[in-house]
Amino acid sequence: MTNAQSLPIARAVGASSPSTGEVQRSAEVLKVSTRSRPSAVAGAIAGVIRESGMAEVQSIGAGATNQAIKAVAIARSYLNEEGIDIICIPSFIDVAIDDEERTAIRLLIERR
């Protein structure tokens, strides 16, 4: 991502201190950390999928990515009970944190 592009506003889920913000795109961005609880992130993913049909999860590092993947699996089971099937499309994305470029894992989750 270049400096000319604006970063999406995102919210952290499943962490002890939530941040606020709304995304101005079709997919809400959920940021996951190593300390995020997978069940809380899964609930957020399921809620966003029910509302808009797609969600985006971002994580940086192995621990955060592990929590994110577990959350997607849990969200899938939550939504399967309602007859909703989801798919997950992983990719890399560059994000700016404290004026430093970092590579994150981006999981695009959408209805099948």
Side-chain angles (χ1 to χ4, degrees):
M1 184 173 278
T2 65
N3 290 337
Q5 295 174 323
S6 63
L7 292 174
I9 299 172
R11 70 176 182 174
V13 295
S16 54
S17 60
S19 63
T20 59
E22 293 298 321
V23 176
Q24 302 301 320
R25 300 186 316 169
S26 59
E28 183 163 354
V29 178
L30 305 172
K31 292 192 174 182
V32 177
S33 78
T34 302
R35 296 180 312 275
S36 297
R37 291 182 304 116
S39 60
V41 178
I45 291 170
V48 172
I49 293 294
R50 287 182 197 108
E51 185 179 302
S52 66
M54 64 185 329
E56 180 179 330
V57 175
Q58 289 182 3
S59 61
I60 298 174
T65 301
N66 180 51
Q67 298 300 77
I69 292 296
K70 287 191 281 188
V72 171
I74 295 167
R76 187 163 191 243
S77 67
Y78 289 167
L79 293 167
N80 271 340
E81 293 173 1
E82 302 169 26
I84 299 171
D85 193 17
I86 58 173
I87 59 169
C88 176
I89 305 165
S91 61
F92 292 104
I93 185 170
D94 292 326
V95 295
I97 299 176
D98 297 330
D99 296 328
E100 183 179 327
E101 286 282 320
R102 302 280 306 267
T103 300
I105 297 289
R106 175 182 182 253
L107 304 174
L108 182 61
I109 303 150
E110 51 190 39
R111 288 179 182 230
R112 184 182 299 221

